[in-house]
Each structure stands twice: as structure tokens, then as C-alpha cells.
Amino acid sequence: MLDDFLIRAALAGVGLALATGPLGSFVIWRRMAYFGDATSHAAILGVALALALHVPIAAGTLIVALAMAATVSTLAAKGWAMDTTLGVLAHAALAFGLVAISYVPGVRSDLSAYLFGDILAVSRLDLAFIWGGAALVLVLLVWRWQALLTSTLNEDLAFASGLNPNRERLVLTLALALVVAVALKIVGALLIAAMLIIPAAAARGLARTPEAMAIYATAFGALASFAGLRLSLWQDTPAGPSIVTAAAVIFALVAVFGRVLRR
Amino acid sequence: MPGLSGGRMSLISAQNLSVRFNGEDVLSGISMAIEPGEIVTILGPNGSGKSTLLRALLGILPLSSGAVARAPGLRLGYVPQKLSVDRSMPMTVRRFLSLPKRVGDAEATAALARVGLPGLETRQMAALSGGQFQRVLLARALLSAPQLLILDEPTQGLDQPGEAAFYRLIEEVRRETGAAVLMVSHDLHVVMAASDRVICLNGHICCQGSPRVVSNAPEYRALFGLGTQGALALYQHQHDHSHDHDHGHGHDDTHPHSHDHNGRTHA
């Protein structure tokens, strides 16, 4: 069954949605959209370094994404103006990555696959990595769910309940870096943050509890992956933008008809 | 001595506590203790470190020196000063009550009824009025069956009737559960009426004691100026005499002039 590239592609989309649904909800609740951008754009730099050093791409992206997420968290804790800092870091990471990658011989032709994803070329090994990473993110979030929600609402409240909001923030940072590494092959570095935000934003229109929002976001993410996959296959459009286009259409439909559905 | 009273351990106590921000002492040399069942109010002008003291006691802020001791296994209920549930997060009242510890439906229903909001379970937190929101926060704090309730300016943003109703609720809760209450306020009327003990704060403890003792302390008068005399006079009037004059707030303005005539202007 896994011999069929279409089935592998569809499974990759579902695996990604399992992680981006709940994590994307936190990205929205905590207003981390730019944070997601900075981390995912750093993945391009990770690709360049991995190719230059002959280590697996996934390892390179994971490490650089983690380093970026840790840098941003540290600067935030030191009280830097986040909007500006993230604006600088997100675009600097992308630019540095693109420049660095041009030094690696023979990669220029593959560049668009890293920028926009290539869901139709997902191998069995990719699939194992995607599902393994997504499962890890999901387990992490479900395990810390109550603590994460409390810390997101109010850090003092979390402290007073004996929780440590700093540790919960670290959990989210780690999950974000994992998702970036997982999503690179599917939607590409440019649109990972969109995959986190758009399905969750669409889910907000229908949900009454945090859990419902995470579940709707997962469903919308999977749906967008299927629809984008078809578009990419039929029209030979780039995978990442096709999936995000589908997600945006879902968002628009929910925004227009969600009110009616909830009645 | 703080920490021990009548051989029993205080619920929470601070010994020579100091907190420093950016090399500047915000609080210094604070020693205090909360005993079971008492209502203690921390009073002080803006920037006097009231919230900082609460947050240091809760362990949210690191101490630069001193120590905080808690009774072993102390159950704490905390109502923060500001909690806004962002519209981006869907959250029903019922779901909120289960954070971070999940509670049963019966418990949640009882807690909401206790704070005067029966049947509010399915409402979105973001759609609550200010008074309802504060009561939901209190309901959540009560679910842990606290021995000590800590409230940081719980009535900020409420109108006067709402404020009075909220403090009556606190008093009822104390009577029913025996929980001690530590709160921060800047409202003198409320403090004088509702507290067993007042701690007057301005970076350090200026004075503490029963509301009556504190209101007569020169440190307190220096801190709050003559503008507070109305509240004090009202308080003393009500509590010094057993006969009831049925004072309303309208009397506040007439009282100050019957006290201090030493020529100082209002602060």
C-alpha cells in the first residue's frame, strides 16, 4: 500500500496535521505567529548546513530550528521588543539560508523543494520521520496539556498552582522545532507558519473549548493537505502553496458560513 | 514571633523578605505572618509594592534576601489582579474551572452557585462582565478547598455596589470555610469594614495591626494624607460607638473637618 506515492503523500499530510492542529492553536493563543516564522525560516539555513556537512537534512533543520527558537525565547526573556526582534531574525534566517545554500554545489535546482515542499516525493523513510516527529509533538502536548493551557491563560496563576510556566514555554519551543523539521518536506520552509496558523484560525470560528479548537484544527489541516495534494497533482502546482491555498479557502468558508453552522 | 502563634504554625510567613528589581529595592525587610481564618489587607499607594509582596509570597518572584515559610501542605487559592481571556482562545466557564486540576461537574456547579453565578457553565469567559469574571476566578480558587485565599485587587474595574457585594462574598466564604484571606486593596472604606488586620505598605511595612490601630498611626496618616480622614472617621464612628447612626457614603465629605485642624492641605 505504501508503494503508492499518492497514499504516502496523503499519510504525510495527515501526520503533519496531527501535530499542527494542537500546536497551531497554541501559536494563535499565545500570539506566536512571528515566532513560528522565525523558526521555520531558520530551517533553510539548517538545510544548507546539513548539505555542506553531509548530515541528514532532518537533523540539520531540527538543530538550527531549535537554536533559533532558543535564541528568540532568550531574547524575549531579556525584554527585547519582540515584534522588531522577530522581524529581524525571521527574515535574516531566510536570507542567510538562501545565501548559504547557493554555496552548496548542485542544490540550486532542488531549492524550490525546500522552500515550497514536495509532498508527492515523500519516501517511506520520510513518512516514518514525519509520523515519528508528529507523534512526539502530540505526546508532548497531550502530556502537558493542562499545564500548558493554564500557563497560556496567566503565568501567575500557573505559578500559584505549583506549575512552572518557563518549563511549559520550553515544551512549546521544542514542539515547534520538531514541527518545522517534520513540515519542511510537505509545505516547505516558507509556509510552515501558515500551516500552523490558518487551520487553527479557521477552527476558532467553530470551537467553544480549547480541545475542540485543537481537534477542528487537525481536521482542517488534514483536509487542506488532501485538497492541496490533489491540486498539486492535477495542475502540477507547488505542493506547499497548494496546501496553504486550500487551508485559506477552508478558513474563508468557515468565516462566511461558520455563524450559520453554529446556530 | 512571625511563623509561630500559640504554638501553631502560621499559614504563610515572611522573614525579613526583600525583593529587588534592576538593582533597586522594591520591598525590604518585610516580616509578616497570616494566621488561620483571619482577613488581612495590604494597603498602600501605587508603586508601594503591594502586588510584588503577594507575588513574592506566592513564589512567583525571586527574593533578593529573606525567606517565605508555608505551613506544610498548605492549600492556596489565588485570584490574580489581571487575567484576560483572549478572544482567540475559546473557553467556557466550566472548562476554566478545571484548570489546572480537573474537577467534577457537581463540584463545579456547587462552586458557581456559591459565588452567585448558578448555571453559568456554558458561557464563554470572554463574554462575562467584570463582576461575573471576578466571581468565576473566586469560584476556581475555592475549588481547591483553600486554607488561604490570596486576592490581588480583586475588585478592580467593578462599580461600588459590585465591589461591596464582592467583599461581602469574601466574608461569607471566610465564615463558611474558615479560610484565611490575604488581599491587596487601595480602597480604604472596604479595608476598614472588612479586615481583621491591615498591613500598611510603602516599600517596607509602615505599620500593621487592627484597622483602628493602623488608622491612628502617624505613619499611616503620613502615607495617605488627610484625604482619607473621611473613611477613617466613618470607620471610627461606626466602630467606636455601639449605637447605629446609619451612615451612608454621603457623609464622608463632612467628617474630615471635624478632625484635623492643623492647617495641612489635602494630599
Side-chain angles (χ1 to χ4, degrees):
Chain A
M1 175 180 101
L2 293 180
D3 289 340
D4 189 332
F5 75 98
L6 268 182
I7 289 174
R8 287 199 302 270
L11 284 174
V14 174
L16 177 65
L18 282 175
T20 53
L23 184 62
S25 300
F26 276 107
V27 168
I28 285 190
W29 297 332
R30 298 175 77 111
R31 302 181 180 276
M32 291 164 64
Y34 240 141
F35 189 78
D37 263 336
T39 308
S40 56
H41 289 178
I44 285 294
L45 192 57
V47 170
L49 291 178
L51 290 172
L53 300 173
H54 302 289
V55 296
I57 304 266
T61 51
L62 188 62
I63 288 165
V64 176
L66 209 52
M68 175 60 99
T71 307
V72 173
S73 294
T74 310
L75 294 179
K78 284 187 178 171
W80 285 44
M82 260 307 99
D83 203 39
T84 312
T85 309
L86 285 171
V88 171
L89 288 177
H91 300 113
L94 185 61
F96 270 98
L98 290 173
V99 168
I101 224 165
S102 73
Y103 283 104
V104 183
V107 184
R108 271 173 199 260
S109 55
D110 294 339
L111 187 59
S112 78
Y114 299 118
L115 288 175
F116 302 122
D118 193 5
I119 195 172
L120 294 174
V122 168
S123 70
R124 284 174 175 226
L125 192 65
D126 292 334
L127 203 55
F129 178 72
I130 287 165
W131 274 79
L136 202 55
V137 169
L138 206 54
V139 165
L140 207 56
L141 293 185
V142 169
W143 172 46
R144 302 304 309 163
W145 190 256
Q146 288 282 92
L148 280 167
L149 277 182
T150 309
S151 308
T152 301
L153 267 181
N154 184 288
E155 298 209 337
D156 285 358
L157 206 65
F159 265 122
S161 305
L163 303 167
N164 182 354
N166 298 324
R167 191 180 55 192
E168 308 311 330
R169 197 179 306 119
L170 195 66
V171 167
L172 286 180
T173 304
L174 190 65
L176 193 62
L178 269 169
V179 162
V180 166
V182 162
L184 184 67
K185 184 85 183 178
I186 303 171
V187 288
L190 288 183
L191 292 168
I192 292 172
M195 207 48 203
L196 284 165
I197 292 158
I198 298 176
R204 174 62 187 99
L206 299 177
R208 293 187 50 81
T209 62
E211 290 76 18
M213 180 161 156
I215 290 168
Y216 284 134
T218 304
F220 288 153
L223 195 63
S225 295
F226 293 149
L229 174 61
R230 300 214 111 183
L231 183 63
S232 180
L233 189 66
W234 286 347
Q235 299 294 316
D236 196 24
T237 51
S242 304
I243 292 173
V244 173
T245 301
V249 170
I250 292 171
F251 174 82
L253 289 176
V254 172
V256 173
F257 296 109
R259 208 174 277 267
V260 185
L261 275 174
R262 262 201 297 182
R263 289 293 128 97
Chain B
M1 65 179 274
L4 290 172
S5 100
R8 279 185 310 160
M9 176 109 181
S10 302
L11 294 176
I12 198 164
S13 64
Q15 277 286 3
N16 209 18
L17 171 159
S18 297
V19 175
R20 184 170 296 181
F21 288 144
N22 302 323
E24 204 176 319
D25 275 336
V26 181
L27 291 173
S28 55
I30 308 279
S31 293
M32 57 175 282
I34 309 296
E35 309 304 330
E38 65 174 347
I39 297 186
V40 179
T41 301
I42 300 171
L43 198 60
N46 282 341
S48 59
K50 301 186 296 277
S51 290
T52 305
L53 177 53
L54 284 197
R55 299 175 79 223
L57 288 172
L58 284 164
I60 298 170
L61 292 175
L63 311 180
S64 60
S65 69
V68 170
R70 291 185 181 195
L74 176 69
R75 291 189 309 276
L76 251 171
Y78 173 55
V79 175
Q81 183 179 33
K82 265 183 300 193
L83 192 159
S84 56
V85 174
D86 197 293
R87 289 206 87 90
S88 69
M89 188 193 275
M91 180 68 75
T92 59
V93 169
R94 174 68 188 86
R95 182 67 187 88
F96 177 73
L97 293 178
S98 272
L99 285 175
K101 193 173 151 289
R102 292 190 186 273
V103 295
D105 284 340
E107 278 176 90
T109 303
L112 283 176
R114 181 64 208 87
V115 299
L117 299 174
L120 221 71
E121 283 92 337
T122 58
R123 287 278 287 280
Q124 286 288 309
M125 290 293 287
L128 298 180
S129 72
Q132 289 173 327
F133 200 96
Q134 289 305 319
R135 283 161 186 260
V136 169
L137 288 182
L138 181 63
R140 182 195 158 278
L142 291 177
L143 279 166
S144 61
Q147 296 158 289
L148 172 61
L149 264 177
I150 295 188
L151 304 101
D152 193 351
E153 303 219 25
T155 60
Q156 227 180 22
L158 301 192
D159 58 13
Q160 205 137 37
E163 192 170 38
F166 191 84
Y167 283 112
R168 270 201 304 279
L169 179 61
I170 298 281
E171 171 68 47
E172 287 168 24
V173 164
R174 189 263 298 256
R175 207 167 50 232
E176 286 168 23
T177 67
V181 178
L182 173 63
M183 56 188 170
V184 155
S185 179
H186 55 236
D187 188 316
L188 301 174
H189 297 261
V190 166
V191 168
M192 295 310 167
S195 310
D196 300 322
R197 200 148 62 80
V198 174
I199 294 173
C200 189
L201 193 73
N202 193 18
H204 59 283
I205 293 182
C206 305
C207 51
Q208 58 175 319
S210 72
R212 186 178 159 191
V213 168
V214 166
S215 66
N216 285 321
E219 297 91 340
Y220 174 86
R221 296 191 173 201
L223 202 54
F224 286 96
L226 288 172
T228 63
Q229 286 295 307
L232 302 188
L234 180 65
Y235 169 77
Q236 287 177 345
H237 216 103
Q238 283 176 337
H239 293 255
D240 290 353
H241 307 287
S242 51
H243 53 209
D244 196 344
H245 279 293
D246 191 27
H247 281 284
H249 289 299
H251 286 262
D252 299 1
D253 290 335
T254 62
H255 276 284
H257 309 292
S258 62
H259 284 264
D260 259 295
H261 287 289
N262 58 7
R264 284 189 290 170
T265 50
H266 284 229

